[in-house]
Amino acid sequence: FRLNDLSARLGNEISGQFAGADVLIYAVPLDVLSASGNWRYSGGTLTLTDGAYRLEDREQVDRFAPLISREATLTLADNIITAQTLLREPKSDREVTRVSLRHDLSTGRGHADLAVDGLLFDRSMQPDTLTPLALGVVANASGVVTGTGRIDWNENAVTSTGRFSSEGLDFAAAFGPVKGAAGTVEFTDLLGLTTAPGQVVSVRSVNPGIEVNDGEIRFRLTEGQVLAIEGGTWPFMGGTLTLRPLDFNIGVTEVRRYVLEVEGLEAALFIQRMELGNLSATGVLDGTLPLVFDQNGGRIEGGLLISRPPGGNLSYVGDLTYE
C-alpha cells in the first residue's frame, strides 16, 4: 500500500484523522503511545497536525514518568521525518520541554533537540513527579530550572547529553534543608541520568543541624542510582567546614553517614551563633563531626574537637542563683 498510489487515484491531496497509533523506534528507548490527530498527504509529503500522544520510558523500571503532548506536528518527505512538540506533565499540565526531532528512515539515524525554557518546581510539581528516582532524595523543591538536551540515535546505539541550570533552587534533602542551590549540571548520558565528574553547585545555605552559608558541593551522578559527593566546603565560624567524599544509593532506604571536618573554628563565634547567652569562650578548635541520618533523624556520633595551643577558656557568665 502506497500513499502516493492512493493519492494518484483520488486526486492531488487526501486527508483524514488517525487514532490509537503507537510509534516505536527500535534504537530509542522512549515510546509514543495512543497517538491521534489529523493527517494530510499532498505532493509526496505526509503531514500530521494536532498530534496528541503519551510518551513513556521503555525500560522495565521507569526512569521517567509519562509525559503528554496535544499539539505535535510531523512531516514525512523523501524518507525524512521532522517533528516538533511540546511535552507536558499530565497532572499539572505544566510545560516540561520543547522537542524538535529529525529521523532518516533510509539510514535509521536521527536526533532530538530538547529545550527546557523554565521548568517551575512548586507545590503542583516536584522532581519526583518527573522521575521516581527523586523520591526520598529531594522534596519540597522550589525554583526554576532551564537547560537543553540532545538525543542522537542510529540502528545500533543511542547517545544523549544535556546541560541544566538554576539560579537558586530550594529543597529538602536527607542531610537537611538546602537553600539557593545554583549552577549548571552537565549530563554525559541524559537518558541514563549520568553526569560528568566534578559537577559544582554553589549553595547559599544548608542546615544539617547547624546552618552553614555560602559554600559549594562537588558531585557526580551515575545511572540515576549512585550520587557520589566528591566534597563540599563552607566558611564556618571563623574557619572552614569540609564535607568528606562519600557515595550513597538513590531510592534505597539506608543509614547514611557524613563526616564533616572542622578547621579553625573560633569558640567565641560558636557560642554567639548558638545563642548561649550565659557562656563565654575563647580559643580555636579543629576536629571532625560524624553525622548519622537514619529513620530516627540526624545526630552526631563520636564528634571530636581539639583546641589549638595554647588552648582557651570556657566560662559561665550568668547569674548564680539557687533556681
Side-chain angles (χ1 to χ4, degrees):
F1 173 76
R2 296 178 181 273
L3 281 173
N4 55 358
D5 293 338
L6 184 59
S7 177
R9 295 178 183 179
L10 298 180
N12 292 330
E13 180 179 317
I14 55 175
S15 61
Q17 296 179 329
F18 66 97
D22 294 340
V23 181
L24 287 74
I25 299 176
Y26 174 77
V28 182
L30 300 171
D31 296 335
V32 172
L33 304 177
S34 302
S36 62
N38 302 312
W39 65 270
R40 180 173 61 88
Y41 184 79
S42 177
T45 299
L46 174 66
T47 303
L48 308 182
T49 58
D50 300 322
Y53 61 85
R54 186 174 74 258
L55 183 71
E56 291 192 2
D57 192 344
R58 194 183 299 161
E59 293 292 317
Q60 186 173 2
V61 178
D62 287 348
R63 299 160 298 179
F64 307 98
L67 299 173
I68 61 170
S69 173
R70 57 174 178 268
E71 48 207 16
T73 61
L74 181 147
T75 300
L76 170 59
D78 297 326
N79 276 337
I80 301 295
I81 295 175
T82 58
Q84 291 79 38
T85 189
L86 176 62
L87 292 174
R88 301 173 181 268
E89 194 280 317
K91 292 182 180 179
S92 65
D93 200 41
R94 184 162 296 171
E95 298 178 2
V96 176
T97 181
R98 291 183 291 108
V99 182
S100 179
L101 178 148
R102 186 181 190 275
H103 180 72
D104 188 335
L105 292 173
S106 61
T107 64
R109 296 178 178 271
H111 68 266
D113 292 313
L114 313 178
V116 177
D117 297 324
L119 180 59
L120 173 64
F121 290 112
D122 57 11
R123 291 183 178 180
S124 298
M125 189 170 69
Q126 290 291 299
D128 60 14
T129 308
L130 299 178
T131 171
L133 297 174
L135 187 64
V137 179
V138 176
N140 301 326
S142 176
V144 176
V145 173
T146 60
T148 58
R150 168 91 175 198
I151 305 172
D152 291 276
W153 61 83
N154 55 40
E155 293 179 338
N156 302 314
V158 178
T159 59
S160 59
T161 57
R163 291 172 58 88
F164 297 89
S165 305
S166 178
E167 295 182 356
L169 190 65
D170 301 342
F171 57 90
F175 48 82
V178 175
K179 294 183 179 181
T184 298
V185 177
E186 180 179 349
F187 287 85
T188 55
D189 182 357
L190 180 59
L191 293 176
L193 293 176
T194 296
T195 70
Q199 302 300 302
V200 178
V201 173
S202 63
V203 180
R204 187 171 69 248
S205 72
V206 60
N207 192 342
I210 300 175
E211 186 177 62
V212 291
N213 305 99
D214 302 323
E216 65 177 31
I217 296 177
R218 300 178 304 280
F219 68 93
R220 70 177 301 178
L221 179 64
T222 303
E223 297 181 353
Q225 298 178 358
V226 178
L227 180 61
I229 303 295
E230 298 174 347
T233 56
W234 294 266
F236 189 58
M237 301 182 190
T240 59
L241 188 69
T242 302
L243 175 63
R244 289 182 183 174
L246 69 133
D247 295 349
F248 68 82
N249 298 308
I250 295 175
V252 176
T253 301
E254 60 183 4
V255 177
R256 290 174 178 165
R257 300 178 183 273
Y258 307 80
V259 178
L260 296 170
E261 296 180 353
V262 178
E263 183 177 1
L265 168 64
E266 295 185 14
L269 292 178
F270 178 79
I271 295 296
Q272 179 182 348
R273 175 72 69 86
M274 299 302 292
E275 298 182 349
L276 302 175
N278 290 331
L279 294 177
S280 174
T282 62
V284 178
L285 302 162
D286 305 301
T288 57
L289 299 175
L291 302 179
V292 179
F293 292 88
D294 56 20
Q295 67 275 11
N296 298 318
R299 62 189 182 276
I300 295 175
E301 285 190 356
L304 177 64
L305 295 176
I306 300 174
S307 63
R308 293 181 181 178
N313 293 293
L314 178 66
S315 57
Y316 177 75
V317 294
D319 293 333
L320 292 175
T321 67
Y322 289 107
E323 298 177 359

